[in-house]
Amino acid sequence: MFFGGRKGTEQGTEQDKVITMGRFQNRVSLSPMRQAEAYWTALRRGDDIPSRAQVDPRGLENILSQTFIVERIAPGIARFRLAGQKVNEMAGMEVRGMPLSAFFTPDARKELSAAMEHMFEAPAIIELSLQTEATRQKGARDAHILLLPLRSDLGDVSRALGVFVSEGNDTGSSQRFSIKNIEMRAVTTGALERPEFKAKDRKPADVAKPVINAPNPGFEETQTRFRREPSIMEEARALLNRHKTGDAAGTSTPKPVAKDTSKKARGSHLRLVVNRD
């Protein structure tokens, strides 16, 4: 504590004015969160959500160790794809591939899941005020997480840029956080309200204009219709009818023609020659 005066001075009457220094403790700077949000806002094209491919690490060089990127893998569940050094220190291990909920207590995971689902669906900016679990060595400490939605390469909002702000992890063990407060800010965007797709007519009103979506004659194939193939029973009946018709007309089976065995009649052929020398 810091006293406002001393005995024997003119300020001695103000000794009851005491300034508690505890309120200046456990306060972490939120500047990295504001810097990341400003960078995210600068990436926006109009009202649209920025994509993951637009995020350049050089734009977050000062806070790169505190940033991370998560991927939505299921409703209300997101896992780390990239994480800075300080984020790994808070977990006491490499967090890549782990769910974000691993940082939270079991009671806080339901609130986190609902907040992330709202962030991806709305979309919205999520700011979490956290508090570590108190231990015998140290009391509870404050921390903050900022989540900014991002688009994937497919165009859906399934990524998020995050910033983790805390006092650090002196123990080196894994930290678990409870949620003190959740702040959600909706992101106004008109790009998500896309009109229903309708195919254009192939027959334009004006003949002078080129046909839209018309097939290219050079690649168009002419398809012929297949004729009906006769069945086996039909072929058998036709063969039997031809045989009966031939017998009724008095025709006889023609004799086989004698084959010409001369060299000219036999034509050319191949001969295999084997040389064993």
Side-chain angles (χ1 to χ4, degrees):
M1 288 184 288
F2 179 80
F3 295 93
R6 297 180 181 179
K7 292 182 180 181
T9 62
E10 295 178 357
Q11 298 178 353
T13 58
E14 300 180 357
Q15 290 184 4
D16 55 340
K17 296 182 179 180
V18 179
I19 300 176
T20 304
M21 302 301 295
R23 63 174 179 159
F24 297 102
Q25 298 175 357
N26 297 333
R27 293 297 180 96
V28 292
S29 175
L30 303 182
S31 175
M33 298 170 57
R34 303 297 167 248
Q35 182 177 346
E37 186 173 356
Y39 176 75
W40 177 85
T41 305
L43 294 179
R44 300 184 65 183
R45 298 172 181 174
D47 292 338
D48 198 9
I49 302 295
S51 63
R52 163 65 182 89
Q54 292 179 255
V55 179
D56 191 346
R58 292 174 294 182
L60 302 169
E61 186 176 1
N62 298 334
I63 58 172
L64 197 59
S65 61
Q66 298 172 263
T67 59
F68 59 89
I69 291 180
V70 293
E71 173 192 9
R72 181 189 188 189
I73 58 176
I77 301 177
R79 67 177 178 180
F80 287 98
R81 290 185 64 90
L82 295 173
Q85 181 180 358
K86 291 186 178 180
V87 181
N88 294 329
E89 290 177 357
M90 291 301 299
M93 64 183 73
E94 175 68 34
V95 300
R96 185 175 182 179
M98 294 174 54
L100 180 59
S101 58
F103 274 99
F104 294 82
T105 60
D107 296 336
R109 290 174 184 175
K110 293 182 180 180
E111 300 179 43
L112 174 68
S113 178
M116 287 194 301
E117 188 65 17
H118 179 72
M119 175 187 65
F120 291 123
E121 291 294 336
I125 299 174
I126 305 299
E127 187 172 339
L128 304 173
S129 297
L130 313 176
Q131 191 176 45
T132 60
E133 293 180 311
T135 60
R136 294 182 178 180
Q137 291 80 10
K138 285 192 174 184
R141 290 175 295 173
D142 294 336
H144 299 270
I145 288 181
L146 178 68
L147 295 174
L148 305 166
L150 296 173
R151 289 188 183 275
S152 67
D153 295 338
L154 301 178
D156 57 335
V157 183
S158 59
R159 304 289 191 273
L161 173 65
V163 181
F164 197 104
V165 177
S166 67
E167 294 181 354
N169 186 8
D170 300 334
T171 61
S173 59
S174 179
Q175 300 290 316
R176 294 293 183 270
F177 297 90
S178 60
I179 298 178
K180 293 169 47 180
N181 183 41
I182 299 178
E183 181 182 350
M184 302 182 186
R185 287 173 281 159
V187 179
T188 57
T189 170
L192 296 178
E193 300 176 358
R194 299 175 181 174
E196 185 180 358
F197 174 77
K198 294 182 180 180
K200 297 180 179 179
D201 191 4
R202 292 179 181 271
K203 298 179 180 180
D206 189 0
V207 182
K209 295 182 180 180
V211 179
I212 302 174
N213 292 337
N216 192 334
F219 295 92
E220 186 177 8
E221 297 180 0
T222 56
Q223 298 180 354
T224 58
R225 295 186 177 182
F226 294 97
R227 292 180 298 175
R228 180 178 175 274
E229 294 290 339
S231 63
I232 298 177
M233 294 299 298
E234 292 175 349
E235 292 181 357
R237 290 194 186 96
L239 181 62
L240 182 61
N241 292 335
R242 287 197 301 268
H243 182 70
K244 290 181 180 180
T245 305
D247 293 343
T251 58
S252 58
T253 304
K255 296 182 180 180
V257 180
K259 296 182 180 181
D260 189 0
T261 57
S262 63
K263 292 184 179 180
K264 294 181 179 181
R266 286 182 294 181
S268 60
H269 62 277
L270 297 176
R271 183 176 62 179
L272 179 63
V273 178
V274 179
N275 187 2
R276 300 180 181 277
D277 295 340

